[in-house]
Amino acid sequence: MDPVTTEDRAPEPLTEYAHRLTRRVRAFDRRHPLLWDLHFTGFWVTAALVDYAGGWKHNAHNLDVPGWLLLALSLGLSLPLLWRRTHPGAVLAVMAPFALVNAWTGAALQAALLQLVLVYHLALRRALRHLWWATALVIAPAVVSALRHGEGSWDQQIGSQLMSTTVAALIGVTVRTRRNYTEALEDRARRLERERDQQARLATAAERARIAREMHDIIGHNLSVITGLADGGRYAAAKSPERAAQALDAIATTSRQALTELRRLLDVLGEEEKQQADLTPQPGLTDLDQLLDGVRSAGLTIHTTTHGSPTLPAGRQLTVYRVIQEALTNTLKHGGPDTTAEIELSYEERGAVTVTITDTGDGSHPQSPAGGRGLPGMRERTALYGGTLEAGPRPHPERGWRVRLHLPEENPQ
């Protein structure tokens, strides 16, 4: 297929050309209103003076009107147009005496038709009730001319003037309606744009909150494991260098895992790597064993019990994983020496699951640490699926802390 050249393109429709030209004229008018008014008024003053120079005689009822009066009438019916937009009612009132004298003397200057410009501006810029008295002012000279000179029928003289006034008013009302409609559309577009920006800010805030939760879970857990390994390695260094070396290896492995997860999370913030980051799966139930092995290597003894078969969607798996991770992190931080933990997972039908994490520490876990994201983050994750989360000391006489997560069945779509 041959490429389309400039000569092959269809000509621009006349309506589009007219719209573009109109937009340019309006833009010039908005930038230089006084200059436009001077040009507009100057054009009609020139036309009125041309009519005064001799053309008025073709329509006049009386050819003996003095020249000075003709000049005064021509200027009085054209010069006030300079203020037509700011004071259309006042300008029409100023022109009315000149129009009456024009009709009474029989000069019949064509400049009297410029009153229709004021009718248009009244319909465009003022309340429509002003059109009643404006119509009376415009029709009055036609009545005077018919009474005084009596040439032609009343239908021809008054009817034609009334029809012209009606057309000018209708044009003003039409332009006003279209302008109001355009302004309403522009206002709606602005409101939609503000709403879109608000939605974008809300989405950004939600994403930041999600990233804050993930970073807290990743960094907090892995640093707690590293701290436990470092403490154990320090005590083992004096008695068993091999155990110290194993602790260092575990610290290195845990650090690399933390860095990998942190890089994956931060990649979400980069537009160029976002597609690649989205392909990286979030941790789920299949990663629990690796999580528990890392915590055990830090010195915490963990026992697990599972009931049922895990058939959870990815989002629920991530919630279960993060709650267990946070609970074990708190146990490492606050449980004290010789603490053990027990995890019980009960899988039910249609995605329901109950997870209970208990430890045998001293029960001094903070309920809501200042500025912390631990328990609030766990509750936010749980609330996404309409679940419940309970965290607190175990009932007396038992020692330790208990976290219980319950996610209800998924709602059928």
Side-chain angles (χ1 to χ4, degrees):
M1 182 178 295
D2 296 334
V4 178
T5 61
T6 306
E7 291 77 6
D8 297 330
R9 295 175 182 172
E12 183 180 15
L14 181 60
T15 55
E16 293 185 7
Y17 175 79
H19 287 164
R20 191 174 71 251
L21 181 61
T22 302
R23 287 195 297 269
R24 290 180 179 178
V25 172
R26 289 177 177 173
F28 178 83
D29 185 19
R30 286 192 297 269
R31 292 193 303 268
H32 311 285
L34 180 59
L35 184 62
W36 176 259
D37 288 341
L38 288 173
H39 278 79
F40 183 86
T41 305
F43 173 82
W44 289 114
V45 169
T46 302
L49 293 178
V50 169
D51 187 48
Y52 153 76
W56 65 278
K57 296 180 181 180
H58 298 289
N59 299 312
H61 303 296
N62 178 17
L63 299 179
D64 297 328
V65 181
W68 64 268
L69 182 57
L70 291 174
L71 179 60
L73 292 176
S74 298
L75 295 178
L77 292 171
S78 57
L79 274 179
L81 290 177
L82 183 62
W83 298 276
R84 72 193 185 284
R85 289 196 287 191
T86 55
H87 304 88
V91 171
L92 182 60
V94 169
M95 293 172 64
F98 292 95
L100 290 173
V101 173
N102 180 53
W104 180 264
T105 59
L109 294 175
Q110 298 299 306
L113 294 176
L114 293 177
Q115 289 179 296
L116 299 178
V117 176
L118 279 305
V119 173
Y120 164 80
H121 279 279
L122 281 171
L124 179 65
R125 305 174 188 278
R126 297 292 185 266
L128 296 182
R129 65 177 181 272
H130 293 293
L131 291 177
W132 295 109
W133 63 263
T135 302
L137 287 180
V138 175
I139 297 299
V143 175
V144 171
S145 178
L147 291 174
R148 179 168 176 77
H149 302 287
E151 295 182 6
S153 65
W154 283 65
D155 293 341
Q156 292 177 346
Q157 297 188 43
I158 300 177
S160 61
Q161 187 72 4
L162 182 61
M163 181 64 68
S164 301
T165 305
T166 302
V167 171
L170 288 177
I171 294 175
V173 171
T174 301
V175 174
R176 179 177 186 169
T177 303
R178 182 175 180 82
R179 180 178 297 178
N180 292 340
Y181 177 71
T182 303
E183 292 176 354
L185 290 179
E186 292 175 351
D187 180 68
R188 183 172 181 270
R190 285 192 294 268
R191 286 189 286 106
L192 290 176
E193 185 176 358
R194 287 196 297 269
E195 292 176 2
R196 182 198 63 189
D197 294 340
Q198 291 174 355
Q199 292 295 331
R201 286 194 294 269
L202 290 175
T204 301
E207 182 66 12
R208 288 177 177 175
R210 186 190 70 81
I211 292 174
R213 289 195 301 266
E214 294 291 334
M215 292 184 68
H216 172 273
D217 294 339
I218 293 170
I219 298 176
H221 171 75
N222 286 285
L223 286 180
S224 297
V225 172
I226 290 172
T227 301
L229 291 170
D231 291 340
R234 183 181 60 183
Y235 291 118
K239 299 179 179 180
S240 177
E242 295 179 357
R243 295 291 300 275
Q246 293 175 359
L248 291 175
D249 290 338
I251 290 174
T253 301
T254 304
S255 300
R256 282 192 290 269
Q257 291 175 352
L259 286 174
T260 300
E261 288 193 60
L262 191 58
R263 288 195 186 100
R264 175 187 56 78
L265 183 62
L266 295 179
D267 282 345
V268 178
L269 301 177
E271 290 295 332
E272 298 179 355
E273 299 177 350
K274 184 173 183 180
Q275 183 176 2
Q276 180 180 358
D278 290 340
L279 298 177
T280 305
Q282 294 278 11
L285 297 178
T286 56
D287 302 299
L288 271 180
D289 290 338
Q290 183 179 359
L291 173 68
L292 298 180
D293 290 341
V295 177
R296 289 189 180 105
S297 65
L300 179 63
T301 302
I302 304 174
H303 303 283
T304 60
T305 305
T306 304
H307 305 283
S309 176
T311 56
L312 301 179
R316 292 180 172 235
Q317 290 189 36
L318 177 62
T319 299
V320 172
Y321 179 93
R322 291 304 189 196
V323 168
I324 294 175
Q325 183 186 54
E326 179 63 25
L328 295 178
T329 300
N330 289 337
T331 299
L332 286 173
K333 290 181 179 178
H334 311 289
D338 300 326
T339 298
T340 61
E342 183 175 347
I343 302 174
E344 182 178 357
L345 298 99
S346 299
Y347 300 103
E348 305 169 18
E349 296 180 354
R350 294 173 55 185
V353 60
T354 301
V355 182
T356 305
I357 307 104
T358 57
D359 63 49
T360 59
D362 57 10
S364 62
H365 294 220
Q367 285 284 359
S368 55
R373 291 292 307 170
L375 290 177
M378 294 163 66
R379 291 194 172 93
E380 289 173 6
R381 291 182 184 277
T382 305
L384 290 176
Y385 300 98
T388 57
L389 181 74
E390 301 174 1
R394 299 172 67 184
H396 187 76
E398 296 178 335
R399 297 178 63 253
W401 192 268
R402 182 182 69 175
V403 176
R404 184 179 182 274
L405 165 71
H406 175 70
L407 300 180
E409 296 181 355
E410 294 184 272
N411 294 325
Q413 298 297 327

